[in-house]
Amino acid sequence: AARLALGTPDEAERAARRAEAVRPDFAEAALRRGDALQRRNRLAEAARAYARGAALRPDLAEAYANLALVRQTQGDPDGAETGYRRALALRPDLAEVRSNLAYLELFRPGVTLARVLEAHRGWDAAHGAPFRAGWAPFAPLPAEPRRRLRVGILSGDFRRHPAGQFAVRAVEALPEFGVDLTLYANQMDADDLTDRFRAAAERWVPVADRTDAELATLIRNDRPDILIDLAGHNARGRLGVFARKPAPVQVAWSGYMATTGLAAMDALVADAHHVPEGAERFYTERILRMPGAFIAYDPPPDAPDPGPPPCLTGQPVTFGVFNILTKLTDEVLSSWAALLARLPESRLLLKTKALSCPETAARWRARLAAAGIAPERLILAGATDSRTHMGWCARVDVALDPFPFAGSTTTLETLWMGVPVVTLPGDTFSSRHSLAFLSVAGVEGCVARDRADYVELAAGWAADPERLAELRRTLRPRMAAGPLCDGRALAEALARSLRDLTRTT
C-alpha cells in the first residue's frame, strides 16, 4: 500500500527534527515525525504522531491517510478504511488513498471477484476516466515478423522486492526472444538485483523525480510498442501514467494481485491457477496465461541450507506464519486455534515486520489469546535481514497460509526452505498464490477444500516427520530445476504473448 511521504527514512527523520524544533505546533511537522517513526517500524508512536497532526489540522487529509496506513499495517483493516475514507472526503483527488482502499478489499473475509472488480473500477472512474478524452491515436505497428519488439517496463521495484524477485529472471531472458527493453526506474535506491535489471536493459531511465504527466510524455516520445507495469495499486505504482495511455498496448504483470480496473490497461499476465477459465469477466484486462506460473522466482542467494525439520531434533512441532498482519482475520485465527488445540504440545511462530513494534506485538498477543492461543505457545518476531529471515523459515515444521489473501513471497521463501505451506484458496487472484506455487512446484497434500480440511492437512503434516524430512531434502533442488524458477521459459512464453497482443489490440 502507498504511503504519502517524503524522502528516505534518514531524510524524513532529520526533516522531522528540524520542523518540530522550529514549530512544535505545526501539523506537517507531526506528519514528518510520524513518517520517520513508521519507516523504523515504530508503529504505535507513528500513529500517535499522525493523530497529533490530525488534531492540529483537522482538514489535513494526509494525516488521516498516513494514520490509516499504520492501522492497516497493524492489522486493523476497519480502522484503516475509516481513515482512508476520511482522507478522501477531504481530498477526493488523492489517488494513492483510493488505491489503498481498493487494495484493502482483497483482505476482507468473503471477498468476491465481483467486489474486487467494483472497487478497482471505482479508482478508474475517479482518477482514470478524466484522461480518456486526451488519449491520442497511435500509428499502426509495422507488420514485420522479424522486427524486435520495443518494450518499456515501469517500476519502482527493480531491486530486492517481491515484484523484482518475481520478474528479474524473465526480464534478463527477454532480449533473447526478440525484445528490446527500456526500464523506467521509479526508485532512488539500488542493490544487486538493480544491477541485473540494468544489465538486461537496452536503456535505463530514472524517472522518480518526474510527475505523471511528464513521465507519460517522455514514454510517448520514446514510442514503445508495449508498456508494462510492475506495481499496480501498490507502493511506488504510477497508475496515473498508465491512465494517460502513453503506449499503444499496456500490460500489468507481477507486482499486483488483482485487476487494476483501468480501461487503459489492455492485458494482465497470469496463469491458469490464478485466473482459471471462466473468471475472465471479472478483469478489465485481457488475460495472458503463462504455461506454468506467471512469475519466475529468484531465491535469495544467501539462504542457508534447510536442515532437518525442528520436530526431528527434539523440539515441539512448530507451525509458522510470515505474512503481514492485515491478512490475519478472525476466521484464520480461529482455524489456528483449532489446530493448536488438536496438537496441545505444538506452538505457533509468527514473524512479520510490524511485530518489531512492541505495542503492536502486545496487541497481537492479546488478540491471539482471545482467539484461544495462549501466550506461552507463541513465538513472535519482527524484521530481520534476508539471510536471518530465511533461517527463521527453517525453524518451522509447517507453514500456515492466511485466507482469503494468501502468501506470495512468504510462500516461495518457506518452500525454498523445504517447508510445506497449507493453504485455503478462494476465487480471487490474491487467494490463489500458494495454490499456484504449490501446484507448479509439485507439492501435494497442502491445498484445503474448507477450514476443517485446512486443520486436517496441517495436522497430518505435523504427524508425519519423515514426510517433512523428505520434503526438506528434495524440494529446493526440484524448485531450482523446475518451471517455478525458469525465467527463460517464462520469457519465451511472455514474449510470444506480447507479440500476439500487438497484432490483436
Side-chain angles (χ1 to χ4, degrees), residues 33-224:
R33 180 66 173 158
D35 181 68
L37 292 164
Q38 188 173 356
R39 292 177 182 223
R40 286 169 170 76
N41 300 317
R42 292 158 63 181
L43 299 176
E45 294 175 77
R48 288 190 284 272
Y50 292 141
R52 173 171 169 75
L56 290 168
R57 278 273 309 278
D59 63 337
L60 189 60
E62 290 84 349
Y64 300 103
N66 286 2
L67 177 57
L69 184 54
V70 172
R71 298 302 184 212
Q72 179 174 324
T73 307
Q74 290 180 304
D76 178 11
D78 292 336
E81 180 175 356
T82 298
Y84 291 143
R85 294 198 183 281
R86 178 71 180 273
L88 285 175
L90 293 167
R91 288 277 308 279
D93 61 310
L94 291 177
E96 298 95 334
V97 175
R98 205 176 305 274
S99 282
N100 289 354
L101 263 180
Y103 177 56
L104 202 59
E105 189 64 34
L106 307 181
F107 298 89
R108 297 295 191 180
V111 63
T112 64
L113 282 167
R115 277 169 44 188
V116 171
L117 177 60
E118 180 183 10
H120 289 74
R121 276 182 167 161
W123 188 97
D124 195 41
H127 306 290
F131 295 110
R132 288 179 205 161
W135 291 359
F138 296 92
L141 296 180
E144 302 172 15
R146 297 181 182 274
R147 174 179 172 272
R148 292 183 67 82
L149 204 59
R150 293 163 49 88
V151 174
I153 304 179
L154 172 55
S155 177
D157 298 317
F158 296 124
R159 56 193 177 97
R160 287 229 160 260
H161 176 277
Q165 289 176 266
F166 292 170
V168 65
R169 292 193 173 190
V171 167
E172 288 175 321
L174 278 172
E176 182 182 345
F177 298 101
V179 176
D180 290 335
L181 292 168
T182 297
L183 302 187
Y184 299 99
N186 186 43
Q187 63 194 66
M188 302 298 290
D189 46 344
D191 56 26
D192 63 307
L193 227 62
T194 309
D195 295 338
R196 290 169 59 185
F197 277 112
R198 290 183 71 129
E202 184 175 86
R203 294 176 62 227
W204 174 270
V205 185
V207 298
D209 61 343
R210 295 178 182 263
T211 66
D212 285 351
E214 291 168 345
L215 181 50
T217 299
L218 171 68
I219 293 171
R220 175 174 279 276
N221 290 339
D222 286 345
R223 300 178 63 185

Side-chain angles (χ1 to χ4, degrees), residues 148-429:
R148 292 183 67 82
L149 204 59
R150 293 163 49 88
V151 174
I153 304 179
L154 172 55
S155 177
D157 298 317
F158 296 124
R159 56 193 177 97
R160 287 229 160 260
H161 176 277
Q165 289 176 266
F166 292 170
V168 65
R169 292 193 173 190
V171 167
E172 288 175 321
L174 278 172
E176 182 182 345
F177 298 101
V179 176
D180 290 335
L181 292 168
T182 297
L183 302 187
Y184 299 99
N186 186 43
Q187 63 194 66
M188 302 298 290
D189 46 344
D191 56 26
D192 63 307
L193 227 62
T194 309
D195 295 338
R196 290 169 59 185
F197 277 112
R198 290 183 71 129
E202 184 175 86
R203 294 176 62 227
W204 174 270
V205 185
V207 298
D209 61 343
R210 295 178 182 263
T211 66
D212 285 351
E214 291 168 345
L215 181 50
T217 299
L218 171 68
I219 293 171
R220 175 174 279 276
N221 290 339
D222 286 345
R223 300 178 63 185
D225 301 325
I226 295 173
L227 181 64
I228 296 177
D229 172 46
L230 296 189
H233 293 273
N234 274 326
R236 305 195 196 206
R238 300 296 294 270
L239 289 181
V241 174
F242 287 85
R244 289 168 165 83
K245 194 70 170 175
V249 179
Q250 302 192 146
V251 178
W253 174 43
S254 123
Y256 196 57
M257 53 294 294
T259 180
T260 64
L262 269 67
M265 199 68 77
D266 299 289
L268 182 146
V269 179
D271 53 57
H273 302 289
H274 280 91
V275 186
E277 294 289 340
E280 298 88 349
R281 69 185 186 277
F282 297 107
Y283 294 80
T284 57
E285 307 89 352
R286 173 179 168 180
I287 303 301
L288 305 181
R289 287 189 180 87
M290 299 298 102
F294 77 113
I295 57 95
Y297 180 49
D298 188 73
D302 59 350
D305 291 334
C311 65
L312 275 181
T313 64
Q315 300 180 53
V317 168
T318 304
F319 296 102
V321 180
F322 301 94
N323 305 92
I324 60 175
L325 299 177
T326 322
K327 295 184 179 183
L328 310 188
T329 65
D330 289 341
E331 291 80 2
V332 169
L333 301 188
S334 174
S335 298
W336 294 349
L339 174 61
L340 293 179
R342 176 90 166 265
L343 299 167
E345 300 301 317
S346 65
R347 58 188 179 177
L348 177 67
L349 186 158
L350 178 56
K351 181 182 184 296
T352 191
K353 184 168 66 173
L355 294 176
S356 299
C357 170
E359 291 180 57
T360 301
R363 180 181 303 180
W364 272 88
R365 284 187 184 277
R367 183 174 173 189
L368 288 159
I373 302 173
E376 60 269 20
R377 302 184 69 181
L378 285 174
I379 304 168
L380 301 187
T384 61
D385 62 76
S386 173
R387 180 177 174 81
T388 303
H389 175 78
M390 298 301 284
W392 277 93
C393 293
R395 292 174 62 174
V396 307
D397 296 291
V398 181
L400 303 175
D401 207 26
F403 49 87
F405 199 139
S408 54
T409 309
T410 53
T411 294
L412 290 164
E413 288 170 342
T414 44
L415 291 177
W416 190 248
M417 297 307 294
V419 179
V421 182
V422 176
T423 188
L424 177 57
D427 295 331
T428 60
F429 194 111

